Amino acid sequence: MGSLFRSQEMLLCQMYLQADTAFTTIAQLGELGIVQFKDLNANVNAFQRHHVNEIRRCEEMERQLKFFEKELKSNDVEPVELRVIPDVPPQKRMIDLEAQFESSETELREVNNNLETLEKNFTELTELQCVLRETDIFFQETQIRDVQMPMASTGAMEANVSDSDPNLIRCLTGVIPLTKLMTFHRLLWNVSRGNFFLRHVEIPTLMRDLGSGDLVQKVVFLVVCYGEALMKKLRKVAEGCHATLYPCPQVKEERQRMLDEVAVRLTDLRTVLEKSKEQRTRCLHNISLHILDWDIKVLKLKACFQTLNLLHKEGTNYVAECWLPYAELANVQTVLDRSSELCGSQVPSILHPIKPDFLPTYHRVNKFTRAFQVIIDAYGVADYREVNPALFSIVTFPFLFSVMFGDAGHGLLLLLFSLFLIIFEVRLKPHMDKSEIMNIIFSGRYLILMMGLFSIYSGLIYNDVFSKSLNIFGSKWIVVYDDETLHSQKELMMNPSDINVYKQVPYYFGVDPVWVMADNKITFTNSFKKKISVIFGVGQMLLGVMLGLLNHMYFRHYLSILTEFIPMLLFLLSIFGYLCALVFAKWGVYLAINDYYQCAPNILIGFINMFMFSYPTKEATHCSNLTWYNGQQDVQSFLVILAILCALWLLFSKPLFLYLRDKRLRGRQRLVEDTENVNHHEGDHQPLYDPEAVNEVPAEGVAPAPITSNAMSRSYYNLTAPVEHKEAFDFGDVFIHQAIHTIEFCLGCVSHTASYLRLWALSLAHARKFCYLPIILVIEELKICDCYLLFLL
């Protein structure tokens, strides 16, 4: 937890890599996963960098992988899960990977093309078979035997009669989708003015559309008309409606012979289709065995080349700048040495820490804390080495959720669901990645686990299990009324001060179950939940102020402690801390056994009077609206004035102090400059240091010596702190910044306290909704039954 409390100490380092070891080094550092490189080629166009061609080759392989994934998905073939995540392949193996992709893609495309051609031929033969059968039935019904019928499509048999005779009967046969039949019929009517006869029969099975490849319902049609000129017009109409035209012989024997030929060809084609499908299945199965492995390898290869494009190339060497945690310096140096050994390089890679201008924030997380860190980062990332609120949100976030969602039964459902995701996370992860929403839920499985646990706890405190109460320890209230009184009286009041009614001992854990039968249950629970919501909200705001103190002490910002932390703390406690104190005092003092129980103070009215400086007299109001301890008016007036003074303190103290300090420093600087000018004219000026010796750099072409973690001392290099740039003091900017900070804090305290009341409101809505849910379901069932009975009658 120490690493989660504050961000990791970071270093900015320079790397000197040889060209033959650069790829291996980047790949090994990528597997380590704790180094972030800076872009040293920001001014270079993306298409002019050194490894553009390699990235294009990786993108081509990604295109091929997407093609494989599409084919696997369309054929319902699941990729085989990986047992071990593969490492980055060597750069020389990239050619072998490309050749493997190319051969697999070529084979799969050839199989698909052949299969598509075979399926098209099979569909055409099937449609032709349907046309021949339905046309033969029509001819038998109409008893047309001797009329010579010319063919109506390309490739048909030539007619035995002359086409110049305009009175001969012409026939047009084919197949058309059922959705276009009405349009086809209308167009035929308009073109021929009704001088045609149309016969159509639906094909019992769905047929594949030759254009789109989808399965559609089709019909066989037969159009009969007189004259060749009209037949040409009708043929164009059929082609315009995307109908498929087929030849139909005029003689029964010829139709039967064609049917037999088509049946034989269909049988042979069906066998070839099955073999082709088996070949495609084998090809897809081989791809499914390696596609996840290929996908990861290509992704890592592309990431390595993209990282190499961030490096600056000097001759045969690469110069890189990268961020890494201070604790991982030794591991990074070990990776550099191992990469040089693997590549057989005689020149070692060099890691050289340098002084940074700024340092980034890096929090080391695991699968349990990642969801909480994501929530915190969504609102804002903490500065370098500041206290990380994610550590505290592990408890506060699910607990505040449970205050709203306080039901032990529903919390148990959340707990079981989260345990299911956690226990089977290895099996579920590949499936969850396919859906964005399910992936978000799966990533927050440990967050849901904590929410379920805290919801069970809060539900037991509320004594609420699926909107029902449990009498585990026995109620401390005793019903002293007999059955006659209970039946005769509509409402009865139970006196908590009577020891015969109330045992004067609270329920051992949570709310007493007797409240489930009380008419004023909502009034009681609302008052309780409203107050604890405010208390938890003020407590969380106080926690945030205390975390600010830890940051000030860590960075030694003692001025901020005096000018920010103290006034913020006093402002928060003088108003909202006093409010919480009143709540606890009311709970602890005004008990049912006391005589002044009926005059329990109204905290809301008293809080309004506190800011109005107006207190009613005994004659003008109820005793609950009066002051309830000696000196209350003086104490509350003092707290309001203290809050106003703290707001002014927070607004003006820091800008004024910085202004006075800057003024004093400028006076000293002018005095030093005047003294140096006098000494310079007198010839007594001697430099205390040699700038050339301080800024001495190695000779050109010679890299600095490598620095190991054992030789490096944090106090010697002091590289885990950024360089402080002194800027000119601007009182206006500082004052505006402080004014914004003051307004945000003061108004935020008020608005956040009001916002925490949402916990009470949502808790009320959740309890009431599930309380009436069984009644609503019964009413809906009765409505359905009534409708069903009316329907039967």
Side-chain angles (χ1 to χ4, degrees):
M1 286 298 181
S3 60
L4 190 62
F5 182 70
R6 294 188 186 276
S7 61
Q8 296 282 308
E9 294 186 18
M10 302 296 292
L11 285 174
L12 178 61
C13 297
Q14 277 187 343
M15 284 187 186
Y16 295 88
L17 307 175
Q18 300 296 318
D20 54 348
T21 63
F23 180 85
T24 305
T25 303
I26 295 299
Q28 295 291 330
L29 291 176
E31 299 292 345
L32 193 60
I34 44 87
V35 178
Q36 181 177 356
F37 289 88
K38 295 177 63 176
D39 189 2
L40 302 183
N41 300 317
N43 298 326
V44 180
N45 192 292
F47 300 99
Q48 297 177 348
R49 302 197 179 190
H50 297 91
H51 297 278
V52 175
N53 294 330
E54 287 82 357
I55 292 178
R56 289 177 178 172
R57 291 164 61 187
C58 292
E59 290 176 350
E60 175 63 20
M61 287 190 289
E62 286 181 342
R63 182 197 62 78
Q64 293 170 333
L65 287 173
K66 290 180 180 179
F67 169 71
F68 295 153
E69 292 173 357
K70 181 181 178 181
E71 291 295 323
L72 291 174
K73 185 176 181 180
S74 61
N75 291 275
D76 297 328
V77 179
E78 291 292 333
V80 179
E81 297 182 3
L82 291 177
R83 297 183 180 271
V84 181
I85 303 298
D87 295 331
V88 183
Q91 188 174 2
K92 298 179 181 179
R93 293 290 305 276
M94 188 174 176
I95 299 177
D96 300 336
L97 205 59
E98 289 176 319
Q100 194 172 6
F101 283 14
E102 187 67 27
S103 62
S104 299
E105 183 186 18
T106 303
E107 180 183 3
L108 186 57
R109 288 191 181 276
E110 288 179 356
V111 173
N112 287 341
N113 293 334
N114 295 336
L115 192 59
E116 183 179 356
T117 303
L118 292 174
E119 288 180 346
K120 184 178 179 181
N121 294 337
F122 184 81
T123 302
E124 291 178 348
L125 289 175
T126 304
E127 291 178 353
L128 177 58
Q129 188 181 43
C130 294
V131 168
L132 293 174
R133 288 176 179 174
E134 299 300 332
T135 306
D136 186 64
I137 295 173
F138 171 75
F139 286 156
Q140 290 179 4
E141 291 176 353
T142 56
Q143 296 181 356
I144 298 178
R145 295 289 185 270
D146 301 324
V147 178
Q148 295 182 351
M149 304 180 63
M151 297 299 98
S153 63
T154 305
M157 297 175 60
E158 295 182 357
N160 295 327
V161 297
S162 176
D163 292 340
S164 60
D165 188 355
N167 296 322
L168 292 179
I169 297 176
R170 309 293 180 177
C171 292
L172 187 68
T173 56
V175 175
I176 191 171
L178 180 62
T179 55
K180 298 180 180 180
L181 180 61
M182 295 301 297
T183 304
F184 179 55
H185 193 182
R186 249 185 249 111
L187 292 175
L188 291 177
W189 182 273
N190 294 333
V191 171
S192 65
R193 300 182 182 274
N195 297 318
F196 74 99
F197 173 78
L198 175 64
R199 171 78 177 262
H200 61 84
V201 179
E202 290 188 11
I203 300 177
T205 59
L206 296 177
M207 304 298 294
R208 189 172 301 277
D209 187 75
L210 299 179
S212 61
D214 300 329
L215 293 176
V216 296
Q217 184 68 50
K218 292 187 177 183
V219 294
V220 176
F221 67 88
L222 171 65
V223 179
V224 181
C225 66
Y226 288 95
E228 183 64 22
L230 182 57
M231 176 55 62
K232 291 180 179 179
K233 294 180 181 181
L234 298 184
R235 185 183 294 111
K236 291 181 179 180
V237 170
E239 293 173 352
C241 291
H242 301 285
T244 306
L245 304 180
Y246 292 100
C248 183
Q250 59 194 11
V251 183
K252 181 179 180 181
E253 290 74 10
E254 294 181 1
R255 288 196 300 271
Q256 187 62 40
R257 180 177 55 81
M258 183 176 287
L259 268 174
D260 296 338
E261 293 177 357
V262 169
V264 173
R265 292 179 59 187
L266 281 174
T267 303
D268 298 338
L269 196 57
R270 189 176 291 108
T271 304
V272 177
L273 266 174
E274 292 177 356
K275 297 294 183 180
S276 299
K277 289 181 179 180
E278 291 177 359
Q279 183 182 0
R280 185 174 66 175
T281 302
R282 288 194 300 270
C283 183
L284 291 176
H285 177 70
N286 294 332
I287 293 175
S288 66
L289 295 176
H290 306 93
I291 186 168
L292 295 181
D293 181 80
W294 292 343
D295 198 1
I296 295 176
K297 287 181 178 179
V298 172
L299 186 64
K300 289 185 176 182
L301 281 171
K302 186 178 180 181
C304 290
F305 289 121
Q306 288 176 338
T307 304
L308 287 173
N309 277 340
L310 303 179
L311 277 56
H312 178 65
K313 191 171 184 179
E314 294 181 354
T316 58
N317 299 328
Y318 286 94
V319 179
E321 290 185 4
C322 60
W323 303 104
L324 67 149
Y326 177 82
E328 300 290 341
L329 183 62
N331 294 333
V332 174
Q333 185 63 53
T334 302
V335 169
L336 296 181
D337 298 338
R338 184 170 63 248
S339 300
S340 299
E341 293 178 1
L342 291 175
C343 297
S345 176
Q346 301 297 327
V347 180
S349 300
I350 298 173
L351 182 65
H352 177 63
I354 58 177
K355 192 72 175 180
D357 293 334
F358 70 96
L359 287 168
T361 301
Y362 171 67
H363 297 289
R364 190 183 297 274
V365 296
N366 52 36
K367 58 183 179 181
F368 177 78
T369 60
R370 182 175 290 108
F372 299 96
Q373 190 65 55
V374 169
I375 293 175
I376 296 301
D377 292 342
Y379 290 95
V381 180
D383 290 339
Y384 177 70
R385 297 297 292 168
E386 280 189 345
V387 175
N388 184 17
L391 175 63
F392 305 93
S393 69
I394 295 176
V395 176
T396 59
F397 185 88
F399 176 70
L400 292 178
F401 170 82
S402 69
V403 174
M404 173 201 69
F405 195 76
D407 191 298
H410 299 152
L412 180 62
L413 296 180
L414 282 178
L415 178 64
L416 296 177
F417 176 68
S418 62
L419 289 177
F420 170 75
L421 295 178
I422 292 172
I423 294 174
F424 300 101
E425 62 181 8
V426 177
R427 299 180 184 178
L428 294 176
K429 184 173 176 55
H431 304 284
M432 294 298 176
D433 292 338
K434 299 177 182 179
S435 174
E436 182 178 359
I437 297 178
M438 294 304 300
N439 190 25
I440 294 174
I441 297 175
F442 182 75
S443 301
R445 57 193 180 278
Y446 290 99
L447 175 62
I448 300 175
L449 173 68
M450 297 296 293
M451 291 162 58
L453 290 174
F454 278 97
S455 295
I456 294 174
Y457 171 76
S458 297
L460 295 177
I461 291 292
Y462 295 157
N463 201 350
D464 204 359
V465 181
F466 293 114
S467 299
K468 301 296 180 182
S469 296
L470 299 179
N471 191 3
I472 301 176
F473 305 105
S475 176
K476 303 304 177 182
W477 293 79
I478 303 173
V479 179
V480 296
Y481 305 105
D482 54 11
D483 294 340
E484 182 179 354
T485 305
L486 292 175
H487 289 293
S488 60
Q489 299 293 331
K490 187 176 182 180
E491 293 182 357
L492 292 172
M493 178 66 72
M494 302 178 68
N495 186 7
S497 60
D498 187 355
I499 60 174
N500 296 322
V501 176
Y502 180 60
K503 297 179 181 181
Q504 307 302 322
V505 178
Y507 193 68
Y508 293 131
F509 189 83
V511 178
D512 197 297
V514 75
W515 284 101
V516 73
M517 299 184 296
D519 292 338
N520 59 342
K521 176 187 176 182
I522 296 298
T523 304
F524 168 73
T525 54
N526 274 358
S527 177
F528 170 69
K529 293 180 180 180
K530 189 187 304 181
K531 291 180 176 62
I532 64 172
S533 297
V534 173
I535 291 172
F536 291 150
V538 174
Q540 190 173 27
M541 289 190 291
L542 183 61
L543 174 63
V545 175
M546 299 306 297
L547 294 183
L549 174 63
L550 296 180
N551 289 330
H552 297 327
M553 295 177 64
Y554 180 82
F555 294 109
R556 299 180 181 179
H557 295 164
Y558 301 115
L559 176 62
S560 297
I561 297 177
L562 179 64
T563 59
E564 292 184 357
F565 169 73
I566 295 178
M568 290 166 62
L569 181 64
L570 293 177
F571 180 87
L572 183 62
L573 293 179
S574 62
I575 299 178
F576 303 101
Y578 178 70
L579 174 62
C580 296
L582 292 180
V583 173
F584 284 112
K586 184 177 179 179
W587 284 345
V589 175
Y590 291 87
L591 303 177
I593 59 177
N594 297 331
D595 297 335
Y596 45 89
Y597 171 71
Q598 299 297 331
C599 283
N602 190 322
I603 296 179
L604 178 61
I605 299 300
F607 212 59
I608 295 175
N609 294 336
M610 175 180 172
F611 287 93
M612 297 295 294
F613 295 96
S614 173
Y615 298 90
T617 60
K618 295 182 180 181
E619 297 78 9
T621 184
H622 189 264
C623 60
S624 62
N625 295 332
L626 299 175
T627 57
W628 44 293
Y629 66 89
N630 296 328
Q632 181 177 355
Q633 297 185 20
D634 298 334
V635 171
Q636 293 184 163
S637 300
F638 170 75
L639 292 177
V640 173
I641 295 173
L642 178 61
I644 296 174
L645 293 177
C646 289
L648 297 176
W649 182 2
L650 182 62
L651 176 62
F652 293 106
S653 60
K654 189 172 184 178
L656 290 177
F657 184 86
L658 293 176
Y659 172 75
L660 295 176
R661 187 178 67 176
D662 181 72
K663 185 177 180 180
R664 185 172 66 255
L665 292 176
R666 281 185 293 169
R668 290 182 180 179
Q669 185 178 4
R670 283 196 296 268
L671 180 61
V672 171
E673 291 177 354
D674 294 341
T675 305
E676 289 180 353
N677 291 333
V678 172
N679 293 336
H680 177 72
H681 289 298
E682 293 178 356
D684 297 333
H685 176 70
Q686 296 180 356
L688 298 179
Y689 65 95
D690 186 3
E692 296 181 358
V694 174
N695 299 324
E696 183 178 357
V697 296
E700 183 177 359
V702 179
I707 300 175
T708 62
S709 58
N710 295 330
M712 191 179 109
S713 168
R714 192 184 317 179
S715 59
Y716 178 77
Y717 287 102
N718 194 22
L719 298 173
T720 57
V723 177
E724 296 184 0
H725 298 280
K726 299 294 184 180
E727 298 181 357
F729 177 78
D730 190 339
F731 179 79
D733 291 344
V734 174
F735 183 78
I736 292 174
H737 179 272
Q738 192 67 20
I740 295 174
H741 177 64
T742 303
I743 295 172
E744 284 182 347
F745 176 77
C746 296
L747 295 182
C749 289
V750 179
S751 64
H752 291 168
T753 304
S755 297
Y756 280 105
L757 290 175
R758 298 174 186 172
L759 299 176
W760 151 69
L762 293 174
S763 177
L764 172 64
H766 176 263
R768 301 310 296 170
K769 177 180 179 181
F770 285 94
C771 180
Y772 292 117
L773 182 61
I775 301 176
I776 296 174
L777 294 178
V778 171
I779 293 174
E780 292 297 329
E781 289 294 334
L782 290 176
K783 290 181 179 179
I784 295 174
C785 292
D786 291 341
C787 295
Y788 181 67
L789 290 174
L790 290 174
F791 175 75
L792 292 178
L793 294 175

